[in-house]
């Protein structure tokens, strides 16, 4: 039972972190600083931190979910689906950090399609948020917590 509670806590931290940073802190930066030139680099650091935190939390969740299995719980299709959401969110974080972020920097420096890359990045953050929310929802269901 403690492993299940820890996994719910980590999933809540992951989902809440994406919510707070992406949907509250970053927009507040742009509103407060007023200039995209001033807010952009700070937002980029926040998104990078969020990606790395997501990778660490996702890995911890995968290890905990695997550990549940070693405690005698059978691997259900629901558990595999939950692991799939974790893996997909981690993949999105990796792509955001190593592909999209670099394309944003390049587009800003060369006059490229910054709007496109910001849109792709926003979609990836939204995808991570949805996956982390699905993981939290699935882990905190009454069926998952019992036993």
């Amino acid at each position: 039972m403690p492993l299940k509670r820890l996994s719910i806590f980590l999933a809540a931290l992951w989902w809440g972190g994406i919510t707070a940073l992406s949907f509250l802190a970053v927009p507040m930066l742009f509103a407060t600083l007023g200039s995209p030139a001033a807010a952009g680099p700070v937002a980029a650091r926040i998104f990078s931190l969020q990606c790395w935190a997501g990778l660490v939390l996702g890995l911890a969740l995968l290890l905990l979910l695997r550990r549940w299995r070693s405690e005698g719980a059978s691997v259900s299709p629901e558990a595999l689906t939950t692991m799939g959401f974790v893996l997909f969110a981690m993949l999105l974080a990796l792509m955001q950090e190593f592909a999209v972020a670099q394309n944003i920097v390049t587009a800003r420096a060369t006059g490229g399609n910054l709007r496109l890359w910001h849109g792709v990045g926003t979609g990836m953050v939204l995808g991570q948020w949805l996956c982390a929310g699905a993981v939290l929802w699935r882990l905190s269901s009454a069926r998952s917590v019992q036993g």
Side-chain angles (χ1 to χ4, degrees):
M1 188 70 130
L3 290 179
K4 291 179 183 182
R5 288 182 185 219
L6 180 58
S7 66
I8 292 168
F9 176 77
L10 291 177
L13 183 62
W14 191 8
W15 183 81
I18 294 171
T19 302
L21 293 175
S22 296
F23 304 128
L24 297 173
V26 170
M28 191 181 320
L29 269 175
F30 283 92
T32 303
L33 296 179
S35 163
V42 179
R45 292 187 117 193
I46 288 173
F47 283 124
S48 182
L49 171 69
Q50 178 184 302
C51 285
W52 288 107
L55 291 170
V56 169
L57 290 168
L59 181 61
L61 278 167
L62 288 174
L63 291 173
L64 285 171
L65 291 170
R66 186 173 185 267
R67 183 105 187 249
W68 284 16
R69 191 170 131 191
S70 68
E71 288 183 349
S74 63
V75 179
S76 65
E78 292 85 14
L80 290 174
T81 301
T82 302
M83 289 179 171
F85 279 119
V86 172
L87 288 168
F88 188 64
M90 292 174 70
L91 177 64
L92 288 172
L94 282 170
M95 290 186 333
Q96 179 186 342
E97 180 67 17
F98 293 109
V100 175
Q102 186 58 45
N103 281 315
I104 289 172
V105 170
T106 302
R108 184 174 289 128
T110 64
N113 196 342
L114 190 59
R115 186 175 184 167
L116 168 72
W117 290 110
H118 272 281
V120 171
T122 299
M124 288 186 169
V125 169
L126 184 59
Q128 291 171 63
W129 181 74
L130 289 171
C131 286
V135 170
L136 177 58
W137 186 268
R138 296 172 73 80
L139 291 176
S140 63
S141 73
R143 185 176 184 195
S144 173
V145 174
Q146 292 174 352

